[in-house]
């Protein structure tokens, strides 16, 4: 059975938008028919398709769905307009720059009953998918803690938010996703080391609904690019390297001494899993295309995106106050 060709529109032709354009051009079952960017096409990503300057002109091209890859502060006005127009939308993360905007955006698509998702590509990283599957299968037994490191140089493309909303939300979302839980509280320290308005370093300590402790080290001031997730349980640890799509398992060795003063662990076998490597952004676009066609949702929902914004905002508040901050529970949406 042939997949119908969906007409897709892209909003934003900047550094991230050009990657979306590349994927949309080769995506089976979709056709990139137009783009919106008031600044034109700086990376020549449009390559012959119409580039318009306002949303009405883009919608007049007859879209089946849109990809929103513009600056974060524009997500709410453009997203709510797309919801009102009945256009399914894949919104680049973060969903919005603050909880109020994220709530309104979530409500807009819910009220309009229009499919939407947030572009957390780590959900499509082969190493993290394998990690999640192994956790669900109980390979680690009880999970004690999750630690993530996401570091690297400052990206010039980011000017409207700090490292918490831009980078850390990846880790906040993937942690909730691989465990199937939510955050209840978070404590944080931030720093401004590069002379910019927003924070460029974060150290955060969180807790999930099941009691799991999380630790996140995120910064824009390291020459070393890291994307690692370490999950510790009572049977060992799983280490995912999202940058290279690798997953390794350190098993706890058997305790040979019958009587010990401390019930600890010993070093056991180390296994490195062979994982088929595939570009996460392509898999994300396939999942959203399928959602538009009425298939099951494998992308991050707007509720997931709202939770990530709530946790990020709580981390930011915690860094101001020096206290552990509770993460609000997303309110039930009002039905139309």
């Amino acid at each position: 059975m042939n997949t119908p060709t969906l007409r897709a529109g892209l909003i934003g032709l900047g550094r991230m938008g050009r990657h979306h354009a590349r994927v949309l051009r080769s995506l089976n079952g979709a056709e990139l028919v137009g783009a919106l960017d008031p600044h034109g096409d700086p990376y020549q990503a449009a390559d012959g398709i119409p580039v318009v300057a306002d949303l009405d002109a883009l919608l007049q091209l007859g879209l089946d769905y849109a990809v929103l890859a513009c600056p974060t502060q524009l997500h709410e006005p453009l997203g709510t307009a797309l919801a009102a127009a009945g256009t399914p939308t894949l919104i680049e993360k973060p969903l919005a720059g603050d909880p109020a905007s994220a709530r309104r955006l979530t409500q807009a698509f819910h009220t309009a009953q229009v499919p939407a998702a947030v572009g957390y590509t780590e959900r499509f990283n082969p190493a993290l998918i394998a990690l999640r599957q192994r956790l669900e299968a109980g390979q680690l037994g009880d999970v004690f803690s999750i630690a993530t490191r996401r570091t690297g140089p400052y990206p010039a493309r980011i000017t409207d938010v700090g490292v918490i909303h831009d980078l850390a939300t990846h880790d906040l979302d993937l942690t909730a996703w691989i465990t199937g839980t939510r955050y209840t509280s978070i404590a944080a320290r931030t720093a401004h080391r590069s002379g910019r308005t927003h924070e460029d370093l974060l150290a955060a300590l969180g807790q999930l609904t099941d009691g799991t402790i999380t630790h996140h080290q995120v910064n824009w001031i390291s020459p070393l690019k890291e994307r690692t997730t370490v999950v510790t349980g009572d049977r060992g640890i799983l280490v995912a390297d999202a940058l290279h799509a690798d997953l390794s398992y350190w098993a706890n060795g058997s305790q040979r001494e019958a009587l010990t003063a401390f019930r600890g662990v010993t070093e056991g076998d180390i296994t490195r899993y062979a994982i088929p490597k595939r570009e996460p952004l392509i898999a994300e676009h396939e999942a959203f295309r399928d959602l538009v066609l009425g298939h099951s949702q494998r992308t991050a929902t707007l509720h997931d995106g709202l939770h990530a914004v709530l946790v990020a905002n709580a981390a930011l508040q915690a860094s101001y106050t020096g206290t552990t901050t509770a993460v609000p529970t997303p309110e039930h949406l009002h039905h139309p």
Side-chain angles (χ1 to χ4, degrees):
M1 185 176 69
N2 292 327
T3 303
T5 299
L6 300 174
R7 294 173 63 83
L10 174 61
I11 301 173
L13 289 170
R15 288 179 180 267
M16 193 62 207
R18 65 177 173 171
H19 294 298
H20 284 291
R22 169 180 56 82
V23 171
L24 283 167
R25 286 186 178 287
S26 61
L27 186 65
N28 181 43
E31 178 188 4
L32 180 58
V33 299
L36 161 61
D37 196 315
H39 302 293
D41 185 14
Y43 298 101
Q44 287 75 54
D47 192 24
I49 64 167
V51 179
V52 300
D54 62 73
L55 185 58
D56 286 341
L58 186 66
L59 292 173
Q60 285 171 11
L61 297 174
L63 304 184
D64 292 306
Y65 71 94
V67 177
L68 194 54
C70 58
T72 305
Q73 71 266 24
L74 298 176
H75 285 189
E76 184 192 354
L78 289 172
T80 50
L82 287 162
T87 306
T89 306
L90 173 62
I91 304 170
E92 253 305 331
K93 61 87 211 162
L95 174 59
D98 62 86
S101 296
R103 287 190 183 97
R104 288 190 293 264
L105 197 47
T106 303
Q107 183 67 57
F109 279 95
H110 177 76
T111 300
Q113 297 184 323
V114 174
V118 185
Y120 279 109
T121 54
E122 294 291 45
R123 291 186 177 221
F124 298 92
N125 187 288
L128 292 167
I129 291 172
L131 169 60
R132 183 174 187 252
Q133 291 170 341
R134 290 181 177 279
L135 288 180
E136 288 178 338
Q139 180 168 341
L140 294 186
D142 291 335
V143 173
F144 301 151
S145 71
I146 298 173
T148 67
R149 291 184 62 87
R150 188 172 297 267
T151 70
Y154 176 74
R157 65 185 174 84
I158 304 299
T159 58
D160 55 342
V161 293
V163 77
I164 291 178
H165 281 87
D166 181 66
L167 270 195
T169 51
H170 274 300
D171 293 316
L172 301 176
D173 178 74
L174 76 86
T175 298
W177 173 64
I178 63 173
T179 58
T181 59
R182 298 291 197 195
Y183 284 79
T184 58
S185 64
I186 196 163
R189 292 290 187 273
T190 57
H192 299 69
R193 296 297 186 185
S194 54
R196 295 175 177 86
T197 304
H198 300 290
E199 79 285 346
D200 50 32
L201 183 150
L202 167 73
L205 186 68
Q207 187 162 35
L208 304 180
T209 51
D210 61 359
T212 300
I213 301 299
T214 75
H215 177 262
H216 309 291
Q217 184 75 31
V218 189
N219 73 57
W220 274 329
I221 56 173
S222 170
L224 172 63
K225 190 171 183 180
E226 294 178 283
R227 302 287 186 269
T228 58
T229 300
V230 180
V231 183
T232 303
D234 63 358
R235 294 177 186 168
I237 67 169
L238 282 163
V239 180
D241 179 349
L243 204 57
H244 302 99
D246 291 329
L247 180 67
S248 300
Y249 173 53
W250 274 257
N252 287 346
S254 58
Q255 290 279 27
R256 290 183 169 81
E257 294 184 22
L259 297 174
T260 59
F262 170 69
R263 290 189 60 201
V265 299
T266 60
E267 189 174 314
D269 293 335
I270 301 172
T271 307
R272 185 169 178 265
Y273 299 111
I275 300 173
K277 301 199 178 0
R278 193 157 182 266
E279 184 182 354
L281 190 61
I282 294 174
E284 178 183 276
H285 272 273
E286 290 174 345
F288 189 71
R289 174 204 62 197
D290 293 347
L291 177 66
V292 175
L293 292 171
H295 304 317
S296 61
Q297 177 137 10
R298 293 179 288 124
T299 45
T301 67
L302 296 199
H303 261 115
D304 296 333
L306 172 57
H307 179 67
V309 171
L310 291 172
V311 182
N313 186 69
L316 198 57
Q317 296 304 314
S319 73
Y320 297 151
T321 62
T323 60
T324 299
T325 301
V327 176
T329 302
E331 297 86 351
H332 291 295
L333 298 178
H334 302 296
H335 290 279

